[in-house]
Amino acid sequence: MFTGIDEVDWASMEHAYGPADDVPGLLYGLASADAAERESALDGMYGAVHHQGDVYACTLACIPFLFELAVDPGIRDRGGVVELLTSIGGIDLDVDDESELDELDEDEIEGVANYAMAAAAVSAGSAVFFELVADDDPGVRHAAPLALATLHDRPERVLTLLRERLPVEADDEVRLALVEAAGRIALRHRPLSGQAADWLSRLAAEAHPPGLRLAALAQLARCAPDALPGDVVRVVSGLLRELRSRPFRAESATAKASGGDETVSDRATAPALVGQLRELSAEEPAGRSTPWAADLLRTLHSGLDDRVDDRTALLTDQLSSPDPWQRLDAVRMSGGLMRAWRGSYDGLVRLVGAQLADPEPRLAEAASHVLEELFGLAVPAADALARRVAADPAAWVKEWASGPPGLGSAVKALSRLGDARALPALAAALDRPEVPHDVGFAIRCLGGAAAPLAGALRRRLGEVGLDEGAYDRASPLLAGLTALRAGEAAPEVLRVLRGAPEYRGEWLRTAALRALGSFGPAAGCAVPELRGLIRRHGSAATEAAEALWAVTGDAEAVLPVLAEGLRAQQVHDCRAAASALGGLGRRAEVVAPRLRALLSHEELWLRVDAAIALWEVSGRTSEAVPVLLAAWERNRHVRVRVAECLARMGLAAAGSDAAQVLRAELLAVRRHNAMDGGYGSHDTYEDEKLLALCRRTLLEDTGKGTTS
């Protein structure tokens, strides 16, 4: 085995973690008789040699040896090797033409060349996968169809093979992989999409087992959504009920491949797409009768795309299932739907909230995480959240192996609703030796309802030692006091401002200055300190000037400082000065020329801040609005900031172009900040805020009888 492996100069190559001289050991590990050693070797291949999909010279050198492993019937767990080959050779390059290649640097060009060579090398050997679809090892048969659909250059031949193979294949999971491979061909080879869709439609409609029909519907949603049945929700809901009543055979393809007596990798236990996350989460329940159903449903939801009503109805049915694992999947998918798409979700949220009382802890925890991200959309689940918080004080604060403690998900979700029933949990958190890092944000969400906590915040801030750990201990307290505008705590905040240590001292002073500014005239004791700070340079002077303005209203003292801030070298400092100047209004009109000059700055966010400030200090919209609307179209993440300004202006001043932009935003179904493959914890909140601003501005315009 591995003829010529010692002739490869592995030491001259590198992988993700350094020299590749350990690669032969990984290859031999894949051939080991020991299951644990095989598992470790495959993890090493993905972790270093094919790290996050990268292809190195050593990855290319491995390809012939991986093929040798894949076709050797004496090797166990060969399905994982076939999947690895599929991943190495199946990368679609994003570089479409020579002009794009010209823009790449040397390392990027090398990477593109490696991907191209890997695709060519694996595709050249892909004919062996035709034999492997009938291999004795079910794990190999499970991986081979997707390898063919991804790599072989005769997709019409592959599609014919899939259709011929399905009636004679006995393993249920392998049959699902055959169906998924047809969907992959339809996506990669559009001329064949009609043939693939016709076959998938027949599979979905005929008297096949429910899992197979569900798989066919999921692939139709991916490659030919128009071919889905009109009553797809009813059909899928019926199939899920059948799955609950007709348990899938527990012996999976990969378990049978290893004889059922070894620890088997989770990689191939579901027909997940090659290149996606390869391992199930460690928290997943092991006793599911249909562990692949969640993947099929996620694929179906992805294909349904903007059909929000259908997806909501399907999730409503899933959340009403007696099967807790179907409900767990539905909770997670509900979170994904609501994060990315706008819709009417009261009923769905209420059902997610109902899972908080489920005895399965993973289900309740998943529900609380989803509700935490919804902010105001979680109102229908408020009572369920309150009951959950009251019933489980031990979950009010979550400890971490490293880093500061944080509030539990249910407490955060309830706080983000502004619900005073979160107060006991927050009060208890403030009594802990180490205050959770996110207490201040929770208090800000509660607003005035959190006023009873001001005394505890002030007391704890007074106890903070001004050493190197001061910022971590003081910042959540300062954030809470800022949110409450608790001016009675000005002496304690001033102590922190004066005694900030060198380590993270700049951050701590910024937090203290924001708190003092929020107190307004109640922070009069800090005025001498603030007047001294504005004599400094840079961001510290700008922050002190902004606080001094809030406390004293002394425009004459702060205007020169803020005007000088517009000349700062750092964009962040310049933006801070522009925003602060806007707060002075017409008193700062003298800086209008400087703000106007920034409207053409290369940094988009600075252009936006300068345009807003220019309007605030001059009252003129003719120069500001075009800049704001251009930024709106160019960078979706700036839209909330722009919409806030347009709301203050009013459409009578902003004009008809602004009205048109706001109306178009309200017609969009996808959230403005939705991302493929990732999301932020505040995305839903920001998008709902944007929608509220658009509606309010347009409604006020209508109420005034303005035509725009």
Side-chain angles (χ1 to χ4, degrees):
M1 175 172 283
F2 298 154
T3 301
I5 193 172
D6 293 331
E7 298 173 11
V8 178
D9 188 3
W10 299 102
S12 69
M13 306 177 193
E14 291 189 348
H15 52 49
Y17 296 105
D21 51 2
D22 58 343
V23 174
L26 295 176
L27 290 169
Y28 280 109
L30 293 174
S32 172
D34 180 73
E37 189 173 346
R38 292 195 302 274
E39 177 75 8
S40 176
L42 191 57
D43 286 343
M45 293 296 293
Y46 277 102
V49 181
H50 188 40
H51 177 70
Q52 295 183 353
D54 288 339
V55 174
Y56 309 92
C58 67
T59 319
L60 295 170
C62 285
I63 291 174
F65 305 116
L66 292 174
F67 269 112
E68 190 174 345
L69 289 167
V71 299
D72 188 338
I75 302 297
R76 308 291 292 273
D77 293 339
R78 288 180 290 132
V81 176
V82 174
E83 288 183 351
L84 178 58
L85 279 167
T86 305
S87 183
I88 291 172
I91 297 173
D92 290 321
L93 298 179
D94 294 328
V95 180
D96 295 325
D97 54 47
E98 293 184 7
S99 64
E100 291 185 56
L101 282 171
D102 292 340
E103 297 174 2
L104 302 179
D105 61 30
E106 185 175 341
D107 289 339
E108 290 172 327
I109 291 174
E110 181 181 356
V112 169
N114 285 345
Y115 291 143
M117 287 188 287
V122 180
S123 294
S126 63
V128 303
F129 300 133
F130 278 105
E131 300 174 10
L132 296 182
V133 295
D135 197 272
D136 290 338
D137 184 337
V140 174
R141 299 202 307 275
H142 183 274
L146 297 175
L148 281 169
T150 303
L151 302 166
H152 203 272
D153 59 3
R154 293 281 303 279
E156 67 284 352
R157 182 183 169 196
V158 176
L159 187 58
T160 298
L161 175 66
L162 300 176
R163 289 196 296 256
E164 293 173 348
R165 185 67 199 171
L166 187 67
V168 299
E169 175 57 60
D171 187 281
D172 289 328
E173 287 193 20
V174 176
R175 286 161 64 86
L176 300 185
L178 292 167
V179 172
E180 183 183 335
R184 182 169 298 188
I185 287 174
L187 287 173
R188 294 174 68 92
H189 307 281
R190 283 301 178 185
L192 295 175
S193 60
Q195 294 181 42
D198 288 344
W199 183 50
L200 293 169
S201 295
R202 289 197 301 274
L203 292 178
E206 293 170 355
H208 292 289
L212 186 67
R213 294 178 62 197
L214 183 60
L217 287 169
Q219 295 308 316
L220 272 178
R222 289 180 68 208
C223 65
D226 292 340
L228 287 169
D231 57 348
V232 62
V233 173
R234 182 190 64 80
V235 173
V236 172
S237 297
L239 293 175
L240 291 176
R241 285 191 290 273
E242 284 190 61
L243 285 174
R244 293 196 295 267
S245 62
R246 295 173 52 184
F248 193 78
R249 287 201 294 273
E251 190 178 21
S252 72
T254 47
K256 284 182 278 191
S258 63
D261 58 353
E262 298 181 68
T263 301
V264 182
S265 168
D266 285 330
R267 293 184 191 89
T269 58
L273 300 178
V274 174
Q276 289 182 345
L277 293 177
R278 299 173 50 253
E279 295 187 1
L280 296 175
S281 169
E283 68 178 17
E284 286 298 307
R288 291 188 185 219
S289 59
T290 55
W292 38 265
D295 289 301
L296 296 183
L297 288 168
R298 277 190 285 269
T299 299
L300 179 65
H301 275 282
S302 178
L304 289 172
D305 200 42
D306 63 353
R307 293 166 61 170
V308 174
D309 290 344
D310 282 344
R311 296 175 67 181
T312 301
L314 181 56
L315 287 168
T316 296
D317 183 82
Q318 291 173 243
L319 286 167
S320 303
S321 168
D323 183 343
W325 309 133
Q326 278 194 14
R327 282 185 276 126
L328 177 61
D329 296 334
V331 164
R332 292 170 175 168
M333 284 183 251
S334 295
L337 173 65
M338 291 185 282
R339 279 194 300 266
W341 299 95
R342 297 162 177 171
S344 179
Y345 295 126
D346 283 4
L348 198 61
V349 170
R350 195 170 289 109
L351 285 170
V352 171
Q355 312 311 312
L356 293 169
D358 196 273
E360 167 52 51
R362 284 166 291 200
L363 182 51
E365 185 68 12
S368 66
H369 278 295
V370 168
L371 294 170
E372 171 193 339
E373 295 170 354
L374 295 182
F375 288 79
L377 289 183
V379 165
D383 290 343
L385 280 167
R387 287 192 294 270
R388 173 79 175 174
V389 168
D392 192 9
W396 287 354
V397 174
K398 188 173 182 63
E399 297 283 355
W400 302 95
S402 61
L407 296 173
S409 289
V411 174
K412 284 193 282 189
L414 194 59
S415 300
R416 290 175 177 184
L417 290 175
D419 196 313
R421 288 176 287 186
L423 280 177
L426 297 180
L430 288 173
D431 277 340
R432 293 172 60 88
E434 187 174 6
V435 174
H437 69 91
D438 45 5
V439 159
F441 180 73
I443 289 172
R444 189 174 84 187
C445 293
L446 277 174
L453 302 177
L457 289 166
R458 182 182 181 185
R459 172 177 56 81
R460 292 305 303 270
L461 185 63
E463 296 168 354
V464 169
L466 300 178
D467 52 24
E468 288 193 350
Y471 175 76
D472 289 333
R473 293 192 300 271
S475 60
L477 306 170
L478 288 167
L481 291 167
T482 301
L484 295 176
R485 302 182 183 275
E488 65 274 20
E492 286 77 12
V493 176
L494 185 56
R495 179 185 77 93
V496 170
L497 179 65
R498 289 171 173 163
E502 182 176 351
Y503 182 68
R504 293 183 175 177
E506 183 179 349
W507 298 356
L508 187 55
R509 281 188 291 272
T510 295
L513 288 169
R514 287 176 181 167
L516 292 170
S518 75
F519 299 163
C525 62
V527 169
E529 193 76 21
L530 296 176
R531 291 193 183 279
L533 287 173
I534 66 172
R535 299 189 185 98
R536 297 187 179 184
H537 298 285
S539 59
T542 298
E543 292 161 355
E546 190 171 12
L548 183 61
W549 161 251
V551 174
T552 67
D554 187 351
E556 184 178 346
V558 303
L559 185 55
V561 177
L562 298 177
E564 183 62 28
L566 293 179
R567 295 192 175 95
Q569 295 297 313
Q570 298 295 323
V571 169
H572 174 272
D573 295 339
C574 200
R575 288 185 60 198
S579 296
L581 284 164
L584 270 64
R586 294 298 181 88
R587 298 175 181 82
E589 191 167 6
V590 67
V591 301
R594 294 190 190 179
L595 292 168
R596 190 174 293 113
L598 293 173
L599 297 182
S600 58
H601 195 279
E602 63 181 10
E603 172 57 46
L604 178 142
W605 283 92
L606 179 52
R607 296 200 301 270
V608 168
D609 287 335
I612 293 172
L614 180 59
W615 168 70
E616 289 172 326
V617 305
S618 71
R620 295 189 295 272
T621 61
S622 57
E623 293 172 298
V625 171
V627 173
L628 297 178
L629 297 184
W632 178 292
E633 294 300 328
R634 185 166 181 179
N635 186 333
R636 56 188 173 160
H637 298 292
V638 81
R639 291 183 184 178
V640 172
R641 181 105 169 95
V642 172
E644 288 174 331
C645 182
L646 294 177
R648 295 197 304 274
M649 283 182 184
L651 291 182
S656 59
D657 288 346
Q660 185 176 350
V661 163
L662 298 182
R663 292 191 187 101
E665 186 64 54
L666 291 177
L667 290 175
V669 182
R670 190 165 174 83
R671 297 200 183 278
H672 81 283
N673 50 8
M675 297 181 289
D676 293 327
Y679 64 92
S681 61
H682 287 53
D683 284 357
T684 305
Y685 169 80
E686 289 292 320
D687 186 68
E688 289 294 319
K689 182 178 181 180
L690 175 61
L691 293 176
L693 287 165
C694 292
R695 293 189 192 105
R696 190 183 80 201
T697 306
L698 290 168
L699 183 62
E700 290 177 354
D701 178 58
T702 302
K704 294 173 182 175
T706 303
T707 57
S708 332

